[in-house]
Amino acid sequence: MTEAEKQPVHWLIVFAVVLTAVLEVLDTTIVNVALPHIKAAFGITSDQTVWIVTSYIVASIAVMPLTGLLSRKFGRRRLIITAIVGFAFFSALGGMAQNFEMLVFFRLGQGFFGAFLIPLSQAILFTSFPREKRGQAMAIFGLGVIVAPVLGPTIGAILTEHFSWRAVFYVNMPIAFIALLMVSGELKKEETQHVDIDWVGLLLMVTAIGALQMTLDLGESHDWFDSHLIQVTAIISAVTGFIFFVRGMGRKLNIIDFSLLKDRSFAAGNVAIVGFGVSMFGAIAILPLFVQGLLDYPVLESGQLFIPRGIAAGFSMVVTGSFLVNRFDPRMLLAIGLILTGTGNVMLANLNLDVSFWQLAWPGVISGLGMGLFFVPMSTLAFQNISSEKQDEASGIYSVMRSLGSSVGIAIIGWQLARRTNLHYAILTEQITPFNPAVSQYLAPLGLSPDTGMGAKVLANEVMAQASMLAFQDAFILSGLAAFAMLPMVLLIQKPAKSEVGSPATVH
């Protein structure tokens, strides 16, 4: 046990780093609700609004793996303070943006500085807690990392509805100010190290990750590989990624320490967090589209739909981190978390166009309970063999995989939704003929017939609604299967020693 791990927990530091984590993850979803208002304010197209989200994610994922390197070169304290100030600065500029181009640039700045907040916060938490209380650390961290993006649509809806879309950027300012005061006062300065930067490796890594993210974000709107742009970005990502990996395997001072992936628990954890991201964020991304587009929910009520899920996730994390993880095999909790998350998503596939608010909310509660049971033990198990010196770098890799999981999930589920809508529409329209008695029976109460213009319009709208409903059901099933598919990863993770997660005798 290191000297840092013997020290008592500094709760002000804990609260400060959780606030910094909230800054980053909240921005991944809070802006989404305001996109229609931003679109109207700047007179831009739907394709252009994608760049408001994409610019942030691309910048964030591209530089996140550099956390360990920059932490050694400048020190954790200096890096996290710079990241908080930079993030707050570009948030304020985002709220003041006068045109679309300015907003995209400021979102790039947000993503660049925000990239360091999650991995640094996680690494600081690990060294602030003794080893037997790391489950509690991850529960607290999870309240920010998982609950914040779940509640992001709710907060964004309230701010947009009662103030302006600009408020979703300004809300970061007080959070950043409080976090900055706490970090500046409590976090000790560290000795910096001389670090030789592999600029070629850096360029390869940033290009590979950035091109992959652009492929995922723009694929659906550009018909995927039917688009020359998507073909180019995919090829660039594959080629530069392959060169970076092969080149880095033989280099001692690579941008990313690939030797970390030799630890089976860390490697399996990174795979599992990708699948979990596909399941969790894929479902969260399409749920607002479902309730607003098909069920005509107002923005505020669609945001409130995430409150029960967020409460369940927060409750699950606290109970798991302070009680369950110390008394049961964390791998068993991990498996139950995956099963609950997948089950909640699959439950959404049993809904129809007449569904009520609570019929939509209860599956979210099930998934929310699964989030806590997955996230807390996974974050502990994945890092159980990682030394303190490698925590920053490992956290950077893990955070990249979590973010990529969310991006892959949104891309895959969105592609599935569009493809299955077209498929179901084609199948249903084959049944709509003047000779089908069900068609005339449906239109009769409306005083219409299938051979009139109004009758044809009503039928087309109903068929599209039903096709969309069936496609949403398919998409929710796919998001659930993504969670179930990660269950074999649990078998690859090592069972931790008793001191890793604590025992009833060591819990205070």
Side-chain angles (χ1 to χ4, degrees):
M1 183 179 291
T2 65
E3 288 301 317
E5 290 168 338
K6 295 179 182 178
Q7 299 299 318
V9 176
H10 298 282
W11 288 102
L12 280 178
I13 293 180
V14 172
F15 186 54
V17 297
V18 170
L19 276 181
T20 61
V22 168
L23 271 177
E24 200 277 334
V25 295
L26 187 63
D27 243 57
T28 60
T29 57
I30 192 174
V31 175
N32 293 357
V33 178
L35 288 179
H37 297 265
I38 298 174
K39 177 182 176 182
F42 292 147
I44 57 179
T45 65
S46 297
D47 286 347
Q48 287 176 303
T49 60
V50 174
W51 284 97
I52 298 173
V53 177
T54 302
S55 56
Y56 178 90
I57 298 176
V58 168
S60 177
I61 292 182
V63 301
M64 200 177 285
L66 302 178
T67 304
L69 183 148
L70 295 179
S71 178
R72 294 194 302 272
K73 187 174 182 64
F74 300 108
R76 281 182 186 169
R77 184 179 187 273
R78 185 180 298 174
L79 182 58
I80 198 170
I81 287 176
T82 302
I84 293 172
V85 172
F87 187 86
F89 176 71
F90 279 99
S91 294
L93 292 178
M96 295 184 288
Q98 298 302 307
N99 55 55
F100 168 70
E101 291 77 15
M102 290 176 64
L103 182 57
V104 170
F105 178 75
F106 297 147
R107 288 286 285 170
L108 283 169
Q110 274 189 301
F112 178 87
F113 286 101
F116 306 112
L117 298 177
I118 294 292
L120 282 176
S121 298
Q122 182 168 332
I124 292 170
L125 271 184
F126 259 76
T127 54
S128 297
F129 278 75
R131 197 172 278 271
E132 69 272 8
K133 289 189 176 183
R134 285 187 176 174
Q136 295 180 21
M138 288 302 99
I140 296 170
F141 184 67
L143 288 174
V145 173
I146 299 297
V147 177
V150 170
L151 295 181
T154 304
I155 299 172
I158 293 172
L159 292 174
T160 304
E161 185 79 13
H162 295 288
F163 299 98
S164 163
W165 64 264
R166 299 181 184 275
V168 302
F169 293 96
Y170 292 139
V171 73
N172 293 326
M173 306 305 294
I175 300 175
F177 180 72
I178 295 172
L180 183 62
L181 287 179
M182 291 184 174
V183 169
S184 301
E186 295 294 324
L187 201 60
K188 296 180 180 179
K189 293 182 179 180
E190 298 173 312
E191 293 185 6
T192 58
Q193 304 175 21
H194 173 72
V195 179
D196 293 321
I197 299 177
D198 177 14
W199 293 105
V200 174
L202 174 61
L203 179 62
L204 287 170
M205 183 193 69
V206 171
T207 303
I209 295 178
L212 173 60
Q213 190 62 47
M214 289 185 65
T215 301
L216 295 172
D217 288 337
L218 301 179
E220 182 184 348
S221 61
H222 287 72
D223 293 326
W224 290 100
F225 293 102
D226 290 334
S227 164
H228 292 302
L229 173 63
I230 301 303
Q231 292 173 7
V232 170
T233 56
I235 292 172
I236 290 175
S237 177
V239 172
T240 54
F242 178 77
I243 296 174
F244 174 69
F245 183 79
V246 172
R247 181 177 180 272
M249 290 296 290
R251 295 180 65 87
K252 184 178 180 180
L253 298 175
N254 195 44
I255 293 295
I256 292 180
D257 184 0
F258 287 123
S259 66
L260 290 170
L261 297 176
K262 294 179 181 179
D263 172 38
R264 76 182 198 194
S265 294
F266 184 67
N270 277 276
V271 174
I273 198 67
V274 171
F276 183 75
V278 171
S279 179
M280 172 185 163
F281 286 97
I284 288 176
I286 64 172
L287 193 55
L289 299 176
F290 174 56
V291 297
Q292 292 182 47
L294 281 181
L295 306 184
D296 293 325
Y297 274 45
V299 173
L300 191 57
E301 192 170 352
S302 70
Q304 292 170 348
L305 189 63
F306 289 90
I307 293 178
R309 183 191 293 255
I311 293 173
F315 171 79
S316 178
M317 285 179 185
V318 171
V319 173
T320 303
S322 60
F323 177 77
L324 297 179
V325 80
N326 297 314
R327 288 164 172 79
F328 300 97
D329 186 341
R331 297 174 302 172
M332 180 185 69
L333 300 178
L334 198 64
I336 295 174
L338 287 169
I339 292 171
L340 288 177
T341 301
T343 300
N345 289 351
V346 172
M347 287 173 63
L348 289 169
N350 296 320
L351 304 179
N352 54 48
L353 295 175
D354 298 321
V355 67
S356 68
F357 179 90
W358 280 106
Q359 285 177 311
L360 284 165
W362 277 116
V365 171
I366 302 298
S367 292
L369 293 174
M371 289 178 192
L373 284 165
F374 172 87
F375 184 82
V376 174
M378 175 53 76
S379 299
T380 304
L381 291 170
F383 291 85
Q384 61 180 310
N385 300 322
I386 304 298
S387 65
S388 299
E389 293 76 21
K390 293 291 184 179
Q391 283 293 332
D392 290 355
E393 189 159 4
S395 296
I397 296 173
Y398 188 75
S399 297
V400 168
M401 300 307 289
R402 178 185 58 82
S403 298
L404 280 177
S406 65
S407 298
V408 170
I410 293 171
I412 291 178
I413 300 300
W415 164 73
Q416 171 82 346
L417 185 61
R419 189 177 73 88
R420 298 295 289 183
T421 297
N422 293 334
L423 176 63
H424 287 301
Y425 186 82
I427 294 173
L428 291 175
T429 50
E430 291 178 357
Q431 310 301 318
I432 306 300
T433 68
F435 308 104
N436 187 338
V439 174
S440 298
Q441 291 173 8
Y442 175 79
L443 292 175
L446 302 175
L448 300 172
S449 63
D451 55 355
T452 63
M454 183 58 69
K457 181 179 180 180
V458 170
L459 286 173
N461 290 339
E462 181 61 25
V463 169
M464 178 54 73
Q466 294 296 333
S468 297
M469 181 71 247
L470 292 171
F472 273 109
Q473 290 177 345
D474 294 340
F476 285 128
I477 290 175
L478 181 60
S479 68
L481 292 177
F484 297 143
M486 292 301 104
L487 287 171
M489 292 297 105
V490 178
L491 302 176
L492 297 178
I493 296 175
Q494 292 175 292
K495 182 178 181 179
K498 201 68 173 178
S499 60
E500 290 287 336
V501 294
S503 64
T506 60
V507 176
H508 303 289

